[in-house]
Amino acid sequence: LSRAVTGQLDTAQQVEAVDREVFRVLDVRTLPIFLYDPDRRELEVTLREWDGTREPDLPRRRPLGVGLASAVLARRAPLRTADYAGACEREGVVPVREALALPHWLGVPIIAGDEVLGVLSLQAAARPFTEADERLLGNIASLAALALRSARLYEERSTTYQELTRTQDHLVRTE
């Protein structure tokens, strides 16, 4: 994963790399990846594999308070359960309808420094997730966080540089 995401400055390519590596090292077929938009206070579903099939109509936005990913974001800590519906009730979030068919759920926050960038989660119908799965997914989320933070910084600097160039060009023309 380190090799796959280092040097990548495109968020979509980094999300793809995380998806590939999670499927390679963990026995799962359902994997949503959420990125957090603090301005809109929403989670953006940037990638979702459902039973091994990629959903094509993404990104999709989800308000906070829907699904356990919102609880992971609020807690800033992993959440693992064998009862998705019960955990949603305990956490005070609305369950995602199609996720009710998959009772086993594991989610970890993607945190860089003090900033929560998103949530990486796994779902399964028959296979309960273990503490080892949680640790491994947490390590993957940590690597993803560093790469995503670098990509965001690069995008911000590129945007700032383009604005500066336009402003300088405008000043030269005005002068």
Side-chain angles (χ1 to χ4, degrees):
L1 180 62
S2 292
R3 283 191 304 271
V5 296
T6 30
Q8 291 288 343
L9 294 173
D10 178 60
T11 302
Q13 289 177 353
Q14 289 175 343
V15 168
E16 289 286 335
V18 169
D19 175 61
R20 263 191 324 272
E21 295 304 312
V22 168
F23 275 103
R24 189 177 67 76
V25 298
L26 288 166
D27 180 27
V28 292
R29 296 189 44 81
T30 301
L31 163 83
I33 299 175
F34 305 91
L35 294 181
Y36 178 55
D37 183 343
D39 297 330
R40 297 173 86 171
R41 296 193 40 77
E42 293 178 322
L43 284 170
E44 180 182 25
V45 184
T46 56
L47 185 141
R48 184 169 149 179
E49 296 261 356
W50 187 262
D51 196 25
T53 304
R54 174 83 48 98
E55 286 191 0
D57 59 341
L58 297 176
R60 195 174 338 147
R61 295 192 172 270
R62 181 183 293 171
L64 295 181
V66 176
L68 286 179
S70 293
V72 170
L73 189 75
R75 294 166 142 224
R76 301 173 63 98
L79 179 69
R80 177 171 34 108
T81 185
D83 178 15
Y84 177 80
C88 285
E89 189 175 317
R90 284 189 301 279
E91 295 293 331
V93 297
V94 177
V96 176
R97 186 178 37 84
E98 62 267 15
L100 290 170
L102 304 172
H104 302 285
W105 194 91
L106 170 61
V108 296
I110 301 171
I111 299 176
D114 290 337
E115 185 181 8
V116 180
L117 303 176
V119 175
L120 183 56
S121 67
L122 307 174
Q123 293 174 263
R127 176 190 181 278
F129 296 109
T130 65
E131 189 176 324
D133 293 332
E134 185 178 317
R135 278 193 312 274
L136 180 57
L137 195 62
N139 288 337
I140 291 170
S142 295
L143 288 170
L146 295 173
L148 287 168
R149 186 175 182 187
S150 295
R152 285 184 177 177
L153 289 172
Y154 177 77
E155 288 169 6
E156 288 171 10
R157 287 210 167 109
S158 294
T159 302
T160 303
Y161 179 74
Q162 289 170 355
E163 289 172 6
L164 178 63
T165 302
R166 281 194 298 272
T167 302
Q168 287 175 332
D169 185 49
H170 178 73
L171 285 172
V172 167
R173 279 188 274 137
T174 303
E175 194 174 297

